[in-house]
Amino acid sequence: MFDRLGELASEHAELERALADPGVHADADQARTLAKRYAELTPIVNAYLEWQQVGEDEQAALELATEDSTFGQEAVELAKRREELEGRLRKLLVPRDPNDDRDTILEVKAGEGGDESALFAGDLLRMYQRFAERHGWKTEIIDSTVTGLGGVKDATVAVKAGRGTGAWSRLKYEGGVHRVQRVPVTESQGRIHTSAAGVLVTPEADPVEVKINDNDLKVDVFRSSGPGGQSVNTTDSAVRITHLPTGIVVSCQNEKSQLQNKEQALRVLRSRLLAAAEAEADAKASAERKAQVRTVDRSERVRTYNFPENRISDHRVGYKAYNLDQVIDGDLDPVIDALAAADLEAKLAEG
């Protein structure tokens, strides 16, 4: 596993020399690319150098222990430190998800369960918005259809993390069917009902990354509608786009003009096409990945929200906690941490 570390250390040194050259910074794009790669390699190389030094110190302590037994304990401690560094290096060498720095398009759709499902979909949407707020991220509602009771039939939101870690690195685990168990506000006899909502998460694509041929699109226009199907616009400003080669359908009605709605719909379409292309590539690369957390089937029931017991359960990794009130208020990090840890273990198992 550590065979590549010498090569990475050499690459790191070359990048350091290049970044010290003022001429390199004349090309901002090149300098940014080199700096990003340098930042990725720095923690790996630092751990590698420490691992080498600890190994040399351990060997020296073992040699000295033949003459002075006090060095024996020092060798034991150094061996423990070396093993810790090896574990850290294994994790650092796991290939990084290339989409982790991307922003995210997140879609929430009500499923079976009528009004209660729509209310739950609205709860999920607010949960993700509050989660984003906790991280200092921005959210933008691209499209939404609300119901008369304040629920959400479907909603599409862009999550932008800005600088640093992208929203995709955390939200990519949220895709799937989310199930709720609670007494609906529409239930007069206090019976617990089960309903569900679907969540689709895709990394947002740049226009230059996913080129769409206009001849591959079928564009329909219609009037925007509000709760209960009532018309909220007297013009045909809402847009529905069908990507003919894939059959993907995207609609948008939130903006005031047809052109704005078309641009927002194309934005969502690009992210879905990027996700579809990457899923196809992943499937070809390894059929086993379909069983892993990071490529979970979108139709799979991934999580249950049990309100009477205040319990949150993620079925992919066996996570369970009794703080649903906090999770639904946006405190999702412990759940996502468990999923990220399982994802890392799966990658380590792959070698």
Side-chain angles (χ1 to χ4, degrees):
M1 182 191 68
F2 296 146
D3 293 344
R4 292 182 55 233
L5 287 169
E7 297 176 8
L8 294 179
S10 298
E11 182 186 352
H12 185 264
E14 291 174 7
L15 288 168
E16 191 169 35
R17 286 192 293 271
L19 289 169
D21 181 0
V24 170
H25 295 273
D27 185 338
D29 289 338
Q30 182 190 17
R32 187 161 46 248
T33 300
L34 294 178
K36 182 179 179 181
R37 179 60 174 165
Y38 181 80
E40 289 174 353
L41 291 180
T42 295
I44 299 174
V45 172
N46 287 344
Y48 172 56
L49 295 176
E50 185 180 355
W51 174 72
Q52 282 185 316
Q53 185 61 57
V54 168
E56 292 173 4
D57 292 345
E58 179 191 359
Q59 189 59 40
L62 287 171
E63 292 174 1
L64 291 170
T66 59
E67 301 176 2
D68 185 345
S69 60
T70 58
F71 285 99
Q73 182 58 38
E74 183 178 347
V76 171
E77 293 174 0
L78 288 166
K80 186 183 298 184
R81 176 57 180 162
R82 175 176 52 78
E83 290 174 0
E84 291 173 356
L85 287 166
E86 287 177 359
R88 183 181 171 197
L89 281 166
R90 285 191 182 90
K91 293 179 180 179
L92 288 171
L93 287 172
V94 169
R96 188 170 178 269
D97 185 336
N99 290 323
D100 274 352
D101 291 332
R102 289 184 186 270
D103 293 326
T104 299
I105 299 289
L106 187 145
E107 302 174 60
V108 180
K109 295 181 182 294
E112 297 180 0
D115 289 333
E116 166 60 8
S117 177
L119 289 169
F120 177 51
D123 290 339
L124 289 178
L125 176 62
R126 284 184 289 274
M127 178 183 75
Y128 291 124
Q129 288 174 313
R130 288 168 182 166
F131 175 72
E133 288 174 6
R134 287 170 180 262
H135 286 267
W137 300 345
K138 294 181 179 179
T139 57
E140 171 194 359
I141 298 291
I142 295 176
D143 191 46
S144 65
T145 304
V146 299
T147 65
L149 293 176
V152 172
K153 183 179 179 181
D154 56 70
T156 303
V157 57
V159 184
K160 296 181 173 292
R163 293 185 177 182
T165 303
W168 173 256
S169 67
R170 301 294 283 169
L171 290 174
K172 62 184 174 183
Y173 304 106
E174 291 304 297
V177 175
H178 295 238
R179 184 178 69 169
V180 64
Q181 295 172 326
R182 65 183 176 187
V183 179
V185 293
T186 55
E187 170 60 52
S188 59
Q189 298 183 26
R191 293 174 297 185
I192 296 174
H193 285 222
T194 298
S195 60
V199 177
L200 175 66
V201 190
T202 53
E204 182 159 11
D206 293 327
V208 294
E209 291 177 291
V210 179
K211 295 185 184 273
I212 299 175
N213 190 332
D214 288 341
N215 294 328
D216 290 338
L217 301 179
K218 178 187 176 186
V219 180
D220 298 308
V221 295
F222 56 97
R223 292 188 181 181
S224 303
S225 61
Q230 64 187 26
S231 176
V232 295
N233 200 325
T234 57
T235 62
D236 293 336
S237 61
V239 173
R240 181 186 300 108
I241 297 178
T242 303
H243 187 249
L244 299 175
T246 62
I248 294 174
V249 180
V250 178
S251 61
C252 185
Q253 64 175 7
N254 271 33
E255 303 297 338
K256 294 181 179 179
S257 77
Q258 188 181 120
L259 180 61
Q260 288 174 317
N261 280 321
K262 183 178 179 181
E263 287 302 315
Q264 293 287 51
L266 284 172
R267 182 178 171 188
V268 177
L269 177 60
R270 277 192 293 268
S271 71
R272 288 201 196 173
L273 288 174
L274 176 66
E278 291 182 342
E280 183 180 355
D282 283 346
K284 289 179 179 178
S286 173
E288 294 177 359
R289 290 182 183 175
K290 292 181 180 178
Q292 295 175 10
V293 173
R294 59 185 180 279
T295 57
V296 67
D297 185 343
R298 299 299 185 189
S299 65
E300 181 183 348
R301 184 191 69 190
V302 296
R303 194 175 296 156
T304 295
Y305 303 72
N306 186 302
F307 279 77
E309 297 179 13
N310 199 33
R311 170 170 50 83
I312 180 81
S313 304
D314 196 288
H315 308 294
R316 294 165 290 183
V317 294
Y319 178 89
K320 186 182 293 185
Y322 293 86
N323 63 337
L324 175 56
D325 54 335
Q326 297 172 35
V327 172
I328 209 72
D329 194 43
D331 188 12
L332 263 172
D333 279 309
V335 188
I336 292 176
D337 286 344
L339 291 161
D343 189 17
L344 178 60
E345 290 301 318
K347 290 176 179 176
L348 287 170
E350 271 190 339

